[in-house]
Amino acid sequence: MESGPRIVPASADSCVAPPLLQSATRVIRILRDAGYTAYFAGGFARDILLKRSVHDIDIATDATPNAVQALFPDHRAIGKSFGVIQVEIDTYMFEVATFRQDADYADGRHPGSVTFTSAPEDAQRRDFTVNGMFFDPAQEQVIDYVGGLADLDARCIRAIGDPAQRFREDYLRMMRAVRFAAVLDFDIDQRTFAAIRELAPMLSRISPERIRIEMIRAFMEAP
């Protein structure tokens, strides 16, 4: 990953409703016109490469939360301490998150502190390689710092970095791994699965409501 990202062309047009895509791209444009880096993040790149429908778009940027608030008058500081501001554009709501590194997950869910950083470092703190890629709507390119493109080709769910560390940061990620494997019909990487087996008892620390949501999504969305 240190040698630079893998970049491939991709189009989102067939996977996203035009008004949603236009509004999200407008958020990117506003951020970039102000001198910031900004990409679509989360599962967006994964889904357009798999030709799956996209119904919401998250945005990652090097703009600080204060800068995002200044650029977008219609906003909600839903997670400002974690670098997340919710922005409203054309009746659509988008979560705009500052690139960050997380530290001190004492409760198995929330970081005790965050440090704002760059896109490559932000990608390293995400859960699975197929979810850790960025999409540049202006250039229509997927930007991959974590090996997500290779794992999409291999149809593999793989934790980024040390699987046990990723799961200790948020124990629900173990259930998310199983859900993604079921919904996408992917295999789970051996090291990632071994960490799930080892740490599965820690799910007792997760609220039943969060577990219920993951189970329902797995049952409803898996083919």
Side-chain angles (χ1 to χ4, degrees):
M1 314 325 167
E2 297 296 333
S3 60
R6 180 180 171 192
I7 298 174
V8 299
S11 174
D13 292 344
S14 63
C15 303
V16 191
L20 173 62
L21 182 60
Q22 291 165 8
S23 296
T25 302
R26 184 179 165 203
V27 175
I28 297 289
R29 188 179 305 116
I30 290 170
L31 288 162
R32 291 187 173 181
D33 286 349
Y36 298 107
T37 299
Y39 301 122
F40 295 166
F44 186 91
R46 176 201 69 217
D47 285 341
I48 66 168
L49 290 170
L50 293 175
K51 305 300 182 185
R52 301 177 76 235
S53 296
V54 175
H55 302 290
D56 60 83
I57 300 173
D58 293 333
I59 293 163
T61 178
D62 61 354
T64 65
N66 286 340
V68 173
Q69 288 177 294
L71 287 170
F72 299 94
D74 294 327
H75 67 263
R76 300 174 189 169
I78 58 170
K80 186 174 180 179
S81 61
F82 302 114
V84 181
I85 303 295
Q86 191 176 64
V87 166
E88 182 173 356
I89 291 282
D90 306 326
T91 74
Y92 291 104
M93 303 298 294
F94 301 100
E95 287 192 4
V96 180
T98 305
F99 298 137
R100 71 176 198 251
Q101 289 181 313
D102 300 336
D104 305 322
Y105 280 83
D107 63 353
R109 181 178 181 185
H110 300 109
S113 63
V114 301
T115 302
F116 298 141
T117 185
S118 63
E121 292 176 317
D122 180 88
Q124 297 297 327
R125 60 98 187 166
R126 294 176 180 267
D127 55 3
F128 307 109
T129 60
V130 297
N131 298 340
M133 299 177 285
F134 299 112
F135 179 75
D136 180 345
Q139 300 297 322
E140 293 194 311
Q141 293 176 334
V142 170
I143 302 168
D144 176 22
Y145 293 99
V146 293
L149 290 167
D151 283 335
L152 274 185
D153 289 341
R155 304 185 66 82
C156 177
I157 300 299
R158 184 191 313 273
I160 295 172
D162 176 13
Q165 180 180 344
R166 293 286 82 78
F167 296 142
R168 289 191 182 101
E169 291 167 350
D170 184 348
Y171 297 124
L172 197 68
R173 285 174 170 173
M174 293 185 280
M175 294 198 68
R176 283 168 55 83
V178 174
R179 170 167 64 85
F180 283 126
V183 171
L184 301 176
D185 194 22
F186 280 21
D187 293 324
I188 299 178
D189 160 68
Q190 289 185 357
R191 288 184 65 237
T192 301
F193 191 67
I196 292 172
R197 291 184 60 124
E198 176 188 350
L199 295 172
M202 303 305 290
L203 283 168
S204 62
R205 299 189 179 188
I206 299 296
S207 71
E209 291 77 15
R210 294 183 76 208
I211 291 174
R212 175 178 177 271
I213 289 170
E214 287 298 322
M215 292 185 69
I216 288 174
R217 289 195 63 182
F219 290 142
M220 297 299 292
E221 297 174 20

